[in-house]
Amino acid sequence: MQRLHRKRIVLGVGGGIAAYKSAELVRRLKDQGAEVRVVLTRGGREFITPLTLQALSGLPVHLDLLDPAAEAAMGHIELARWADLVLVAPATADVMARLAQGVADDLLTTLVLATDARVALAPAMNQAMWRDPATQANAELLRSRGIKLFGPASGSQACGDVGPGRMLEATDLAQLAADCFQRLDLTGRHVVITAGPTQENIDPVRYITNHSSGRMGFALAEAAAEAGARVSLVSGPVHLPTPDRVERIDVISARDMLAACEALMPCDVLIASAAVADYRPEVIAPHKLKKDPTRGDGLLLELVRNPDILATLAGRPDRPFSVGFAAETQNLLEYAQRKLRDKNLDLIVANDVANPAIGFNSEDNAVTVIDRGLHEIRFEQTSKGKIARQLIALISTHLKDTAQNHA
Ligand code: C5P
């Protein structure tokens, strides 16, 4: 799915060295299905040519406020009305100051004043300029008026300094632009989330389990609650605090988890993020297993399949909107598509657990979501909290689309 399908974006390019990233940004926005019209400020023209941006956007670049020819083609008011989003990247300290003051002395600032569309800025400047109280006050004022600030990131700067003020990368900005259009609303919905590992007992002191930390599921529970849902979080043994406004049901084994989920049905959405043990010991020994010299050095454990919680619930006649996870170490998308089909899911979230930066116990994640039409949506590496909010926004959009299709 292209997350910006047919969205109209005015990209304002200010006069900063980060303007070189704006060329890439045009491409990334268009990859997501957006129509992009570029407004290049006088300063911006010192860093990147109109021709580059015109070639990439496929549309004439807008330069001047008082150019009769340009105004006749598409004037500043028409441009302001045309936009679904005005994204200024890079937003220099000067552009931010002028926007904060409501100055309208060029095409970009006039357009921002005139538009009813969402406005977002990607600040880019030297770290001392970003930290300056004047810039911070302008940033606060702009935020208080509903203007979104994307970044800035911290790191090494073109001027040789290190600190906050780097413009975010084009792929991140395109995702944040798409987030502006997501309807994060699950009011009145009941969402059931499974999380963490399961423990399958061998005897009273030993069990089989896995490395799942439960972080992704807990982040999803928090994001769903923030979006207004009633959230039931069915969790295996983890060391995490329960998010606010979330009902938590602790379980141990896969069979406990299934029973707890079934007791919560029917619900609107099921998100199965738990790493459920596929097998359990056939019998749980009533007493601690002792080393048995007559058996030599080996011990044979007979395992049997656990029920598939997700497939069971997604197969019910009153099935919820069902979202599964495919944690794989190889052939990620192929296996994910197969699971989507075999388990009768609405969405599957594929993540590569072979990569330690985004694996089971990591802070971050990066995922590809596949829907029933086999459209793929990529969420680049970021914190599990951010990924969770993006996933919840996507689920809420799908729920609304499904409701509209049935209407
Ligand atoms: O088949 P696989 O275990 O890779 O599928 C992963 C998805 O199925 C996850 O969403 C997981 O929570 C769910 N699952 C389940 N019950 C099982 C096994 C997996 O709900 N027994």
Side-chain angles (χ1 to χ4, degrees), residues 16 24 38 42 58 76 85 116 130 143 157 165 200 211 235 264 272 278 293 302 315 402 404 407:
E24 169 82 6
V38 178
R42 196 173 296 280
H76 63 284
L85 168 69
D116 287 336
W130 170 253
R143 273 197 205 100
Q157 303 203 299
E200 310 297 333
H211 290 299
S235 176
L264 293 164
D278 288 326
E302 197 78 47
T402 318
Q404 271 160 16

Side-chain angles (χ1 to χ4, degrees), residues 194 272-274 276-278 307-310 324-325 328 339 343:
T194 68
S273 69
V276 184
D278 288 326
D308 191 310
I309 299 165
L310 177 56
F325 276 72
E328 303 290 347
K339 270 174 207 168
K343 299 193 188 209

Side-chain angles (χ1 to χ4, degrees), residues 5 7 16 19 26 35 39 102 128 176 195 228 313 326 333 344 367 376 378:
H5 182 59
K7 293 289 182 289
V26 174
E35 273 181 68
V39 171
L176 289 165
L313 302 176
L333 298 181
N344 189 27
V367 299
E376 289 173 13
R378 175 99 193 128

Side-chain angles (χ1 to χ4, degrees), residues 392-406:
I392 292 296
L394 188 67
I395 291 168
S396 97
T397 307
H398 269 265
L399 281 182
K400 290 206 172 98
D401 289 350
T402 318
Q404 271 160 16
N405 290 343
H406 289 309

